Amino acid sequence: MAKQGKDIIKGTYPVLGMSCAACAGSAENIIKQQEGVLNASVNFATGNLSVDYRSNITSSEKLQQALQSGGFDLLLEDESTLQDTLEALHTAKFQQLKTKTFWAITLSIPVVIIGMFFMDIPYANEIMFVFTTPVVVWLGRDFFVGAWRQAKHRTTNMDTLVALSTGIAYLFSVFNMLFMDFWIQRGLHAHVYFEAAAVIIAFILLGKLLEEKAKGNTSTAIKKLMGLQPKTVNLIMENGEVETRPIDQVQIGDRMLVKPGERIAVDGLVLVGNSYVDESMLSGEPVPVSKSNGDKVFAGTINQKGSFQFEAKKVGKETLLAQIIKMVQDAQGSKAPVQKLVDKIASVFVPIVIAIAILTFVLWTVFGGQHAMVQAMLAAVTVLVIACPCALGLATPTAIMVGVGKGAEQGILIKDAESLELAKKIDAIILDKTGTITQGRPEVDEVVWSNFNKTDEAILYSIEKQSEHPLADAVVKYLDNVSIVELNTFESLTGRGAKAKYSGLTYFVGNKKLLTEQAIFLPSNLETKANSWLSESKTVIWFANENEALAVLAISDQIKPTSAHAIQELQSMGIDVYMLTGDNEATARAVAKQTGIKNYRAEVLPQDKAAFVRELQKQGNIVAMVGDGINDSTALATANVSIAMGKGSDIAMDVAKMTIISSDLTKIPQAIRLSKQTVATIKQNLFWAFIYNVIGIPIAAGILYPINGFLLNPMLAGAAMALSSVSVVSNSLLLKWKN
C-alpha cells in the first residue's frame, strides 16, 4: 500500500523471510542503505516495512531486489488480494513448522534413548547417525541458512547459536564415528554427541512453533473490517430503474436504494424513505438510529426494516469505515518492534561464546602439554556444546505457554507474550461503557400502570409486536407470556412511536411528545415516576388510549452485576480507571456514579477514543483499553494492552491481544495477576539459564584444571545442557499451581 505526494512515496509493504527481531534490524538496514530512501522502519511484530522514498530515484521493485539479495523478500501485490496472500503464507509456514517439529521430536527420541542407555549395542553410533542426519540436514536447515544470512551482514542471532552448537556437535560426532582410532591411539575415548545435536534442534523448533502460534495473524482483523463493505450496490439509473453494480463503480452524487437487512455501501445523505439503521459498529450503542430525509448514513452500517434512497457523498478510501481501517493499520504498525529478549541476549552472547571457544582452543594448544591439540579440540567443542541456547530458547515460550494455558482455564484468552508481559505494568485502564460495563442491550427495568388490566397489557404487547422501533423488542421480550390480540389498524409514527385501533378506541405507544400532541391526560403518579426515571438517564415509553395514559415503562442498558466490584478492585491495585462512551452526558454520569468511576467522557467518537489513549501514553502511562465493538478497534490497536469482551464483535476480538470470554470485568484483575506471575517465572528461567552458562562455560573451558585437574567431558556437557532445559520447563510448570 503506497501513497504518493509529489515525487515522495510513503509505502507499507509486508516483509517475508524474517525469523526474529534481529532479522527486522537487518532488513531495515538494507533498505536504509538504498539510494533515494528517506526513512525506513521494519516492524517485526506486524511484519511490515514502512518506507518513504523518492520515486524518481528508486522504486518498490528495486527495494524488493535489495531485500532479496539479503535473504528476505518484499510482497508487492494488489491491496485487494494482499490480506488473503499473507494469510495463506502464514498458514503454510505454521503447518510446515508443525510438521518439522513433529519429525524432529520423533527422530530425536531413539537417539536420546540409545545415547543414554544403549551405547554398547552393535552399531549404536551408526544408528544414531541415521536418525540425527535428517534432523540436522533437513529439519534444522533453516537455522544454518539463517546463521549464514546473519554472518553475511556481520550480525548474530539465535540461528547462529543453534547452527554452531549443532553443526560442530554433529560434525565432531561424524568424525569420531568414522575415525575412532584417531582418539584411541591417543588414549582417549571417541565419544559421539549426536543426541545433543538432535535434541537442540527439536527443542528450538518447538519453541519457534509456540512463538508462531502465540503471535497470531493480525491481518484477520483488517480483513473482517474490509468485509463490512458490500461488494455490490443497488444503483438507481437516470430512467429510474434499479441495477446491481460493483461498488468500485460508485461515484459521488450517485443515487442508491437500500433494502431491509442490507449493509450501506458508502457514506451519504438520505433522499427518500425512512428506516432505522444499526450503527453500533461506529458508535458502540445498541439502539438503531432513526433515518429520514437529510440524515447521514455510513458505509458498513446495517439497515433494519425500512427501505430508503440516498445520495453518495464519500466513496472508496474517503468513507468513515475506510478511515477506521486505516487508523487500525496505523495503530498496529506504529508499535515498536517486539525485540525478543532472547535475541538481544544472543547478539552479545554468541560472539562471547565463540571468542571463549577460540581462546580455549589457543590456550590449550599452547599450554596443554603432550596431547595439547586433542585437549584443545575437546575443550573448545565442550564450550560450544554446553553453551547451547536450549535453556535460553525455552525460558520465555514455556512460561508463556503455561501462563496462556492457565489464563484459558480462567476464561482469559491471551494472544501474545508482549501483552502478557506488559499487563503487570498497567497503571491506566480505559473502559468502554456499552457491552463492557453494561450488558450492551436495552431491557425493560420496570412498568407502572395507572390502573392495570390484562386487556390493556395485551394491546400494548400486540402494538409493540408489530412496531419497527428497536426498543419495541425489549418490551416484547419483557411481556413474553402475554396473549396477543388482533388490532383493527396499526400505523408507525416515525421518531415518535406508533398508534393502533382496537374495539373502537385508539391507542398510542411512544414518547411524551406524542401524548402531548394528542392532548392526552397524564396521571400525576405516572408523570412523577417518568421524571424519576429520566433523572437516572433511563429511556421512558408511554402507553395511552385516546383519553389518558395507561402505563409508563423504563428501559435502560443494565450494568453487569460484577462491574462495580471489578472497578473497585482495579482502583485498589493503584490503576486509574476511565470510562469512554458514545452515549450522552447524563447516561454516562449515571453509570459512572453507580460503578464508582471518577473519570469519564461522554459522546466520544471512535477516533477520539484512540486520541485519548495516546494522550495518556504521552503522560507516561501504560494504558489498557477494554472494549467490545468495532468502534473500539482503533483504540484497542493503539493501547499498550488491548482487551476485548468475548460477547462483543469479532473485529474487537481480532484486534485485541486479550479476550475475556465471559465478558466479566473481574477477569481483568485476574489477568494482571497472571501477568505478574508469568513475568516473574520468565525472569527466574532466564536467571537459571544464565547461571548455568556463567558457571558451565568456564568449567567447560578447563578453568578448574590447574586447581584440581578436572576436565569436563563433552558428554557431561550435553547432560548439563539437557538438565538446564529440564529445570526451565519444570519451573514454568510450577506456574500452574500459583494462585
Side-chain angles (χ1 to χ4, degrees):
M1 186 169 59
K3 186 178 179 182
Q4 192 162 353
K6 294 183 181 178
D7 66 334
I8 297 174
I9 291 181
K10 295 178 179 289
T12 303
Y13 309 97
V15 180
L16 306 178
M18 295 193 298
S19 62
C20 65
C23 296
S26 298
E28 187 175 305
N29 289 333
I30 292 169
I31 295 296
K32 282 181 175 178
Q33 289 167 11
Q34 302 309 303
E35 190 180 358
V37 172
L38 304 174
N39 187 38
S41 173
V42 176
N43 187 325
F44 178 61
T46 60
N48 285 336
L49 160 70
S50 298
V51 61
D52 301 348
Y53 63 90
R54 294 190 181 278
S55 57
N56 57 344
I57 298 176
T58 188
S59 65
S60 55
E61 287 77 13
K62 288 181 180 177
L63 297 180
Q64 182 188 43
Q65 289 168 10
L67 278 179
Q68 286 171 344
S69 69
F72 306 106
D73 201 355
L74 208 60
L75 187 60
L76 305 178
E77 202 164 306
D78 185 72
E79 196 174 335
S80 60
T81 59
L82 185 62
Q83 295 302 326
D84 289 335
T85 304
L86 282 173
E87 197 171 330
L89 287 170
H90 172 81
T91 303
K93 181 182 176 183
F94 184 79
Q95 288 301 325
Q96 186 184 44
L97 199 51
K98 200 173 177 181
T99 303
K100 285 186 175 182
T101 305
F102 170 78
W103 281 110
I105 292 171
T106 303
L107 293 170
S108 296
I109 290 171
V111 180
V112 172
I113 292 171
I114 293 170
M116 291 180 70
F117 306 109
F118 301 105
M119 280 303 295
D120 294 331
I121 65 170
Y123 303 107
N125 289 353
E126 287 77 5
I127 294 169
M128 287 195 290
F129 167 75
V130 169
F131 279 103
T132 303
T133 299
V135 176
V136 175
V137 176
W138 170 45
L139 304 172
R141 178 179 177 275
D142 289 344
F143 296 120
F144 294 93
V145 172
W148 174 246
R149 185 185 297 160
Q150 295 299 314
K152 284 199 295 184
H153 291 89
R154 298 179 183 177
T155 58
T156 58
N157 68 351
M158 284 293 293
D159 289 345
T160 313
L161 275 176
V162 178
L164 271 176
S165 57
T166 56
I168 290 174
Y170 176 76
L171 291 174
F172 191 64
S173 300
V174 171
F175 179 85
N176 289 357
M177 178 185 72
L178 297 175
F179 306 104
M180 197 177 292
D181 291 344
F182 179 84
W183 300 109
I184 295 171
Q185 288 170 7
R186 289 159 177 78
L188 296 167
H189 180 63
H191 196 86
V192 295
Y193 309 102
F194 288 121
E195 72 276 12
V199 169
I200 290 168
I201 288 173
F203 270 152
I204 300 300
L205 282 173
L206 178 62
K208 278 188 170 289
L209 182 70
L210 295 173
E211 183 184 329
E212 193 70 24
K213 189 175 182 181
K215 198 161 72 171
N217 189 358
T218 55
S219 66
T220 309
I222 302 298
K223 185 181 176 184
K224 287 186 178 178
L225 276 172
M226 290 174 173
L228 292 175
Q229 193 173 47
K231 302 294 183 189
T232 58
V233 296
N234 300 314
L235 206 61
I236 301 172
M237 312 307 291
E238 289 183 5
N239 60 6
E241 291 184 4
V242 178
E243 291 187 11
T244 301
R245 293 286 180 87
I247 192 169
D248 54 14
Q249 292 184 14
V250 176
Q251 296 179 349
I252 294 172
D254 284 349
R255 291 181 60 155
M256 279 161 284
L257 173 68
V258 182
K259 298 175 183 178
E262 289 184 342
R263 284 193 185 273
I264 295 165
V266 296
D267 295 359
L269 288 178
V270 176
L271 298 174
V272 180
N274 54 71
S275 182
Y276 287 92
V277 175
D278 179 359
E279 293 186 344
S280 59
M281 59 148 286
L282 298 176
S283 67
E285 300 309 315
V287 180
V289 181
S290 173
K291 298 290 180 183
S292 55
N293 188 23
D295 289 335
K296 290 181 179 179
V297 290
F298 302 97
T301 57
I302 305 171
N303 184 29
Q304 299 287 282
K305 298 176 183 176
S307 62
F308 60 88
Q309 295 177 18
F310 77 100
E311 181 184 350
K313 291 294 182 184
K314 289 183 179 179
V315 299
K317 293 181 180 180
E318 300 303 315
T319 66
L320 188 58
L321 174 62
Q323 288 171 13
I324 289 175
I325 292 170
K326 182 71 170 65
M327 282 189 286
V328 172
Q329 287 175 322
D330 289 346
Q332 287 181 332
S334 66
K335 290 180 180 176
V338 183
Q339 296 293 333
K340 296 294 181 187
L341 185 56
V342 173
D343 281 313
K344 287 182 178 179
I345 294 162
S347 65
V348 180
F349 181 67
V350 179
I352 290 173
V353 170
I354 295 170
I356 291 171
I358 293 170
L359 182 62
T360 300
F361 184 85
V362 171
L363 290 174
W364 273 103
T365 304
V366 176
F367 304 108
Q370 188 179 357
H371 300 297
M373 186 61 72
V374 177
Q375 297 292 3
M377 177 75 77
L378 282 172
V381 168
T382 305
V383 167
L384 289 166
V385 170
I386 205 166
C388 161
C390 253
L392 287 173
L394 288 170
T396 301
T398 53
I400 294 299
M401 182 176 68
V402 176
V404 168
K406 187 177 178 182
E409 289 172 8
Q410 296 174 347
I412 305 162
L413 292 181
I414 301 161
K415 278 191 184 176
D416 68 359
E418 186 189 11
S419 56
L420 188 59
E421 290 172 26
L422 264 180
K424 70 182 285 288
K425 298 179 182 177
I426 293 169
D427 51 21
I429 189 163
I430 299 170
L431 304 175
D432 172 52
K433 177 183 75 69
T434 306
T436 301
I437 297 174
T438 65
Q439 299 285 6
R441 59 182 181 274
E443 292 180 357
V444 175
D445 294 340
E446 191 179 349
V447 180
V448 175
W449 294 84
S450 60
N451 187 17
F452 175 77
N453 70 68
K454 287 191 173 181
T455 304
D456 287 341
E457 188 180 45
I459 294 167
L460 170 62
Y461 178 71
S462 302
I463 293 172
E464 293 291 59
K465 191 79 173 173
Q466 289 192 41
S467 175
E468 293 181 357
H469 196 285
L471 292 179
D473 292 337
V475 179
V476 169
K477 188 177 178 182
Y478 184 80
L479 302 173
D480 192 31
N481 296 320
V482 176
S483 57
I484 197 166
V485 296
E486 190 173 338
L487 302 172
N488 302 123
T489 63
F490 174 87
E491 184 183 348
S492 179
L493 306 172
T494 304
R496 292 174 298 162
K499 73 175 183 178
K501 282 192 175 182
Y502 179 76
S503 295
L505 280 176
T506 303
Y507 292 86
F508 298 89
V509 178
N511 53 30
K512 187 178 179 180
K513 184 181 177 183
L514 174 63
L515 273 62
T516 306
E517 286 174 358
Q518 303 296 323
I520 293 170
F521 172 68
L522 306 177
S524 59
N525 68 316
L526 295 187
E527 198 157 18
T528 302
K529 196 66 180 174
N531 290 334
S532 171
W533 287 336
L534 286 169
S535 69
E536 296 172 11
S537 298
K538 296 182 179 181
T539 303
V540 175
I541 293 178
W542 291 82
F543 172 53
N545 60 25
E546 58 198 36
N547 300 314
E548 66 172 338
L550 303 173
V552 65
L553 300 86
I555 295 180
S556 70
D557 186 8
Q558 299 287 314
I559 293 171
K560 294 174 185 175
T562 56
S563 290
H565 173 71
I567 288 162
Q568 186 181 0
E569 192 175 356
L570 287 167
Q571 289 170 338
S572 69
M573 296 169 80
I575 298 171
D576 294 326
V577 180
Y578 300 84
M579 181 182 77
L580 301 184
T581 177
D583 217 333
N584 60 67
E585 171 70 24
T587 303
R589 191 190 314 116
V591 171
K593 186 179 178 182
Q594 290 178 63
T595 55
I597 294 175
K598 296 166 189 172
N599 307 302
Y600 69 89
R601 289 189 182 184
E603 298 177 11
V604 179
L605 296 172
Q607 56 266 38
D608 296 333
K609 290 184 179 182
F612 186 68
V613 171
R614 286 191 289 271
E615 187 182 316
L616 290 177
Q617 287 171 331
K618 282 178 184 176
Q619 296 169 16
N621 293 302
I622 301 296
V623 182
M625 174 69 199
V626 186
D628 74 320
I630 294 170
N631 64 305
D632 301 316
S633 57
T634 308
L636 285 167
T638 307
N640 301 93
V641 179
S642 47
I643 305 170
M645 294 287 105
K647 293 178 182 175
S649 75
D650 289 344
I651 308 300
M653 285 186 277
D654 280 333
V655 172
K657 295 302 175 72
M658 288 190 189
T659 299
I660 308 300
I661 299 171
S662 64
S663 292
D664 182 354
L665 278 181
T666 57
K667 296 292 181 184
I668 295 173
Q670 267 186 274
I672 293 170
R673 285 193 293 272
L674 179 62
S675 167
K676 290 178 179 177
Q677 293 168 355
T678 306
V679 170
T681 301
I682 290 170
K683 287 179 178 177
Q684 290 162 11
N685 286 350
L686 290 173
F687 171 79
W688 288 115
F690 271 117
I691 285 295
Y692 154 77
N693 280 300
V694 167
I695 296 172
I697 291 174
I699 292 174
I703 198 169
L704 294 177
Y705 187 78
I707 302 167
N708 58 12
F710 178 78
L711 274 176
L712 184 63
N713 188 297
M715 180 59 186
L716 292 177
M721 175 276 294
L723 188 62
S724 70
S725 301
V726 171
S727 67
V728 163
V729 174
S730 301
N731 190 50
S732 296
L733 291 173
L734 290 175
L735 184 60
K736 281 187 177 182
W737 291 279
K738 291 181 181 176
N739 293 322

